[in-house]
């Protein structure tokens, strides 16, 4: 597995910046601009972009109306995404990745799958450059040729990728064939609460997801794939029962087992909120579990199924196919692809691994699919669940089975044992592979999830301690370390550990909120050394931790919201009216 680039992904920030100037910019790809547009304020000149901004702004206002504590800025206990960035002259959408998804072909037989162009919201002030927790994914159909063969699309990608790596100045979008825009997909962190407000989980965050489809000069709000509208279905018992009957159909269950099912549009939601932390154990991320009890599910032919053996397994598989379920399955703070950082990114704000564990682990399967299509062969269509790849799993941090027959094959490598980080009998009866002797970065606080239909009221209760080694201590969940984190002095490092910096929470937050210094300065002035888990693509972090760039360019596992590019609060806010740059109030 490649650590920094992938044959089905273009992710070099220098190359992507060059491509953005050659027709691949967000303004040109989404709105057919005649030339690249660098500022979001200028994008507001396109009616299509205005429509998207207005819809997202309304979504954010609705969140504020539902939560009186929610507002923009560090002074609020519940912190809201600042929609001003979407129209700011100091913000823009940067191209961070071009991704081959020909493996999406089975979902739309009339196409050859998809090519995706991923853009990340970023800003630049006179003193600060940072990206923000928002991506826009432009999804294009890979056109099927008249001969009904997708071999041509696979060949076009090979030629495109080769040209990008050798002569990027000669690359243009037409090299990928006759592209047709399918959708514009938004994922943004809409809400964040600090760990002081949610000490049982180490914080709280919500991610807003919307899909828009082009309709002439307008953008239509589109349904979310395999994501049921829970509130509407609960309010309409006949429609809910129709969906239940559909789910209990043997042919549909086989499609679910393969990861290839397509939920009919009449059941679908048009917006979704995924929640973190402890995402795989949150009822808000499990819409099918919220709709149906296991007693209502009848697995028709369990012996013929690859994964789905029980009602719980079927619901878990369906939840994972929804937008919120997928985006909380071994993701990076609600995202699967964030992009490699630019060279000018501050050292205290840099990501080591540009994508989620799911994205990295799924690359070999996608490569095999691409190779089969390239050779004119019929590819294997099975798509694995986001938390567990087909191969290469079982290492520390991998998800594992705790007794349910659907997860019997989810075992741990020698020297590891399967333990629950969160005791949960409803949403996810699985655990995490952990070493018998806890190393730096290991979990040290295990609790039980108390579910609620309102994720604001979810709680982790009955928290018990798991021993760290004698020379280590447990960094507490209440100060921002999900499930606790073992750490010690840097003098006694063992294999798999490295020395890094741990934030001093009180001083850091006081610096941001009261002293109002820049984020990177506050962090550099309020840290202490400590042993951390070393990470890479081969040795990823456990759930709710990110592989950040540590000393000597090594990867270190830390909570994601310790990086300000992954949180909505603490950023410098441009005031266009005064031409000033101020902290959030």
């Amino acid at each position: 597995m490649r650590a920094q680039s992938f044959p089905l992904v273009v992710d070099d920030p220098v190359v992507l910046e060059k491509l953005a100037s050659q027709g691949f910019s967000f303004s040109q790809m989404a709105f057919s601009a005649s030339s690249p547009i660098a500022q979001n304020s200028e994008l507001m000149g396109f009616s299509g972009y205005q429509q998207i901004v207005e819809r997202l702004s309304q979504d954010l206002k609705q969140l504020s109306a539902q939560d009186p504590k929610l507002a923009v800025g560090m002074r609020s206990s519940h912190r809201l995404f600042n929609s001003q960035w979407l129209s700011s002259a100091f913000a823009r959408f940067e191209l961070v990745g071009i991704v081959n998804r020909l493996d999406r072909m089975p979902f739309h037989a009339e196409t050859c799958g998809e090519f995706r162009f991923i853009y990340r919201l970023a800003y630049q002030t006179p003193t600060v450059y940072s990206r923000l927790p928002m991506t826009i994914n432009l999804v294009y159909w890979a056109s099927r040729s008249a001969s009904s063969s997708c071999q041509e699309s696979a060949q076009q990608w090979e030629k495109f990728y080769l040209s990008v790596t050798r002569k990027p100045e000669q690359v243009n979008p037409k090299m990928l064939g006759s592209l047709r825009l399918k959708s514009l997909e938004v994922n943004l962190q809409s809400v964040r609460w600090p760990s002081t407000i949610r000490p049982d989980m180490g914080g709280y965050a919500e991610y807003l997801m919307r899909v828009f489809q082009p309709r002439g000069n307008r953008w239509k709000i589109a349904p979310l794939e395999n994501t049921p509208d829970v509130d509407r279905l609960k309010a309409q018992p006949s429609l809910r029962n129709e969906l239940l009957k559909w789910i209990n159909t043997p042919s549909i269950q086989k499609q679910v087992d393969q990861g290839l099912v397509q939920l009919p549009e009449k059941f679908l939601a048009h917006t979704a909120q995924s929640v973190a932390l402890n995402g795989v154990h949150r009822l808000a991320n499990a819409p099918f579990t919220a709709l149906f009890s296991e007693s209502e599910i009848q697995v028709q032919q369990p012996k013929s199924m690859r994964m789905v053996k029980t009602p719980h397994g079927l619901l878990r598989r369906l939840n994972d196919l929804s937008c919120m379920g997928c985006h909380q399955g071994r993701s990076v703070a609600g995202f699967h692809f964030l992009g490699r950082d630019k060279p000018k990114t501050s050292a205290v704000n840099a990501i080591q691994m540009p994508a989620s564990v799911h994205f990295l682990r799924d690359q070999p399967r996608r490569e095999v699919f691409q190779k089969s299509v390239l050779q004119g062969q019929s590819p294997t269509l099975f798509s694995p669940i986001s938390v567990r790849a087909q191969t290469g799993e079982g290492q520390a941090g991998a998800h594992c089975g705790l007794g349910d027959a659907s997860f019997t094959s989810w075992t741990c490598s020698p020297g590891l044992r399967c333990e629950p980080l969160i005791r949960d009998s409803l949403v996810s009866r699985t655990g995490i592979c952990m070493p018998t002797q806890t190393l730096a970065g290991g979990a040290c606080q295990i609790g039980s999830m108390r579910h609620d239909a309102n994720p604001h009221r979810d709680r982790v209760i009955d928290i018990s301690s798991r021993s760290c080694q004698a020379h280590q201590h447990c960094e507490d969940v209440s100060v921002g370390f999900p499930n606790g984190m073992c750490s010690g002095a840097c003098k006694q490092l063992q294999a798999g550990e490295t020395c890094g910096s741990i934030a001093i929470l009180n001083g850091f937050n006081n610096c941001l909120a009261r002293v109002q210094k820049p984020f990177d300065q506050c962090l550099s002035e309020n840290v202490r050394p400590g042993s951390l888990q070393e990470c890479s693509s081969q040795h990823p972090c456990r759930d709710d931790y990110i592989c950040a760039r540590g000393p000597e360019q090594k990867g270190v596992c830390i909570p994601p919201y310790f990086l300000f590019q992954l949180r909505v609060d603490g950023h410098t806010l441009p005031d266009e009216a005064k031409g000033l740059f101020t902290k959030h109030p």
Side-chain angles (χ1 to χ4, degrees):
M1 188 176 296
R2 297 162 178 80
Q4 293 186 327
S5 62
F6 313 98
L8 300 186
V9 182
V10 177
D11 64 352
D12 185 315
V14 176
V15 170
L16 290 168
E17 190 168 21
K18 183 175 293 186
L19 294 180
S21 68
Q22 297 169 194
F24 291 90
S25 68
F26 177 59
S27 59
Q28 291 167 294
M29 296 293 289
F31 307 110
S32 301
S34 58
S35 60
I37 292 177
Q39 292 82 26
N40 286 350
S41 57
E42 293 185 31
L43 279 176
M44 292 297 290
F46 293 91
S47 61
Y49 184 70
Q50 288 181 24
Q51 294 161 23
I52 292 167
V53 171
E54 288 171 4
R55 177 66 266 175
L56 296 177
S57 298
Q58 290 173 15
D59 289 335
L60 294 168
K61 288 179 181 178
Q62 186 174 358
L63 291 175
S64 295
Q66 296 169 350
D67 181 358
K69 295 181 180 179
L70 186 61
V72 171
M74 292 289 291
R75 292 180 183 175
S76 304
S77 58
H78 299 178
R79 296 157 187 178
L80 182 68
F81 177 90
N82 192 334
S83 61
Q84 290 184 36
W85 289 116
L86 301 178
S87 58
S88 169
F90 304 97
R92 61 191 179 276
F93 285 96
E94 296 180 344
L95 179 63
V96 296
I98 302 174
V99 183
N100 175 325
R101 290 304 309 269
L102 296 191
D103 65 295
R104 293 273 303 163
M105 187 192 311
F107 290 91
H108 299 277
E110 72 280 6
T111 74
C112 289
E114 302 166 356
F115 293 124
R116 298 183 174 184
F117 300 81
I118 303 173
Y119 299 84
R120 182 102 180 265
L121 182 61
Y123 69 92
Q124 175 75 66
T125 74
T127 58
V128 178
Y129 163 80
S130 179
R131 288 171 174 169
L132 289 160
M134 176 179 182
T135 62
I136 288 182
N137 181 11
L138 289 181
V139 182
Y140 284 82
W141 297 119
S143 300
R144 185 179 286 274
S145 66
S147 63
S148 297
S149 170
C150 289
Q151 194 171 14
E152 184 179 348
S153 292
Q155 292 170 344
Q156 287 170 335
W157 174 264
E158 296 286 309
K159 293 177 182 178
F160 172 77
Y161 188 83
L162 189 62
S163 297
V164 165
T165 56
R166 294 182 177 179
K167 298 180 179 179
E169 66 279 357
Q170 297 181 7
V171 175
N172 62 71
K174 292 182 180 179
M175 295 184 68
L176 287 172
S178 179
L179 295 175
R180 180 166 58 91
L181 183 58
K182 169 196 172 188
S183 58
L184 183 154
E185 301 176 357
V186 175
N187 184 14
L188 68 87
Q189 185 188 114
S190 52
V191 174
R192 195 185 88 84
W193 303 358
S195 59
T196 51
I197 306 301
R198 288 307 307 266
D200 58 323
M201 293 188 190
Y204 174 84
E206 293 179 6
Y207 296 84
L208 169 66
M209 288 176 280
R210 279 280 191 188
V211 175
F212 301 86
Q213 291 179 341
R215 291 292 184 271
N217 294 326
R218 299 194 61 80
W219 288 81
K220 173 187 174 184
I221 295 173
L224 303 177
E225 184 176 278
N226 287 329
T227 303
D229 188 329
V230 173
D231 291 340
R232 180 164 59 89
L233 288 164
K234 283 185 174 181
Q236 300 180 34
S238 60
L239 192 62
R240 175 191 175 277
N241 291 336
E242 184 180 349
L243 176 56
L244 177 61
K245 182 179 179 180
W246 183 83
I247 289 172
N248 280 328
T249 304
S251 61
I252 296 300
Q253 292 187 354
K254 289 183 178 179
Q255 293 177 34
V256 173
D257 185 60
Q258 290 290 307
L260 303 175
V261 76
Q262 287 272 61
L263 200 67
E265 185 171 342
K266 60 183 172 182
F267 302 122
L268 296 178
H270 286 74
T271 186
Q273 291 275 2
S274 72
V275 301
L277 299 151
N278 302 118
V280 297
H281 297 287
R282 307 293 292 274
L283 187 59
N285 299 330
F288 290 92
T289 301
L291 281 168
F292 305 113
S293 66
E294 292 182 24
S295 62
E296 294 178 283
I297 302 298
Q298 301 170 5
V299 179
Q300 304 292 343
Q301 300 172 356
K303 292 184 179 179
S304 67
M305 301 288 195
R306 181 168 179 167
M307 175 190 150
V308 174
K309 305 290 185 181
T310 63
H312 178 76
L314 181 65
L315 290 173
R316 177 72 186 277
R317 181 63 150 149
L318 282 166
N319 291 330
D320 188 74
L321 291 168
S322 71
C323 288
M324 60 278 274
C326 177
H327 277 278
Q328 291 298 330
R330 297 224 78 181
S331 62
V332 181
F335 299 92
H336 282 301
F337 190 87
L338 293 166
R340 288 167 57 187
D341 286 320
K342 288 187 172 182
K344 63 180 178 180
T345 302
S346 169
V348 298
N349 193 31
I351 298 172
Q352 185 76 358
M353 297 309 304
S356 71
V357 179
H358 166 61
F359 184 94
L360 299 174
R361 289 281 191 254
D362 201 35
Q363 288 305 306
R365 179 191 68 86
R366 299 181 190 180
E367 291 176 17
V368 171
F369 194 102
Q370 161 78 5
K371 186 176 180 180
S372 296
V373 176
L374 192 64
Q375 295 175 347
Q377 301 171 352
S378 297
T380 300
L381 302 183
F382 177 83
S383 179
I385 195 169
S386 66
V387 297
R388 183 86 184 194
Q390 289 175 270
T391 58
E393 286 283 22
Q395 296 177 329
H399 286 239
C400 50
L402 288 173
D404 189 281
S406 294
F407 315 114
T408 301
S409 63
W410 294 16
T411 58
C412 298
S413 301
L416 304 175
R417 63 188 180 195
C418 188
E419 294 186 27
L421 285 189
I422 294 292
R423 293 180 287 268
D424 170 19
S425 61
L426 178 63
V427 175
S428 176
R429 294 198 285 271
T430 53
I432 300 296
C433 294
M434 294 191 286
T436 53
Q437 184 181 45
T438 304
L439 301 174
C444 49
Q445 292 177 320
I446 296 173
S448 300
M449 182 63 69
R450 188 175 70 192
H451 301 97
D452 194 282
N454 182 349
H456 291 186
R457 295 197 290 264
D458 284 347
R459 289 292 183 273
V460 176
I461 60 174
D462 300 329
I463 297 176
S464 58
S465 297
R466 183 174 185 262
S467 297
C468 301
Q469 294 191 53
H471 65 283
Q472 298 175 335
H473 62 276
C474 183
E475 300 284 353
D476 199 84
V477 64
S478 65
V479 292
F481 294 87
N483 298 118
M485 186 192 79
C486 292
S487 181
C490 290
K491 296 180 180 179
Q492 301 184 52
L493 296 178
Q494 303 175 74
E497 300 179 343
T498 190
C499 189
S501 298
I502 297 176
I504 302 172
L505 186 66
N506 290 336
F508 172 62
N509 286 338
N510 181 67
C511 180
L512 279 178
R514 297 180 183 178
V515 183
Q516 297 192 351
K517 291 182 180 180
F519 191 107
D520 52 352
Q521 184 176 345
C522 285
L523 188 57
S524 62
E525 293 176 355
N526 292 277
V527 295
R528 53 184 168 79
S531 57
L532 299 172
Q533 178 188 339
E534 187 174 347
C535 54
S536 65
S537 59
Q538 288 77 29
H539 301 284
C541 304
R542 59 183 165 97
D543 288 3
D544 293 328
Y545 285 75
I546 186 172
C547 189
R549 188 176 304 159
E552 301 178 358
Q553 301 296 306
K554 292 182 178 179
V556 295
C557 294
I558 62 172
Y561 306 128
F562 284 19
L563 298 185
F564 65 105
Q565 65 166 286
L566 291 177
R567 48 189 277 177
V568 299
D569 52 339
H571 294 274
T572 301
L573 173 65
D575 185 343
E576 277 86 6
K578 299 178 181 178
L580 301 175
F581 295 87
T582 59
K583 295 296 292 181
H584 283 313

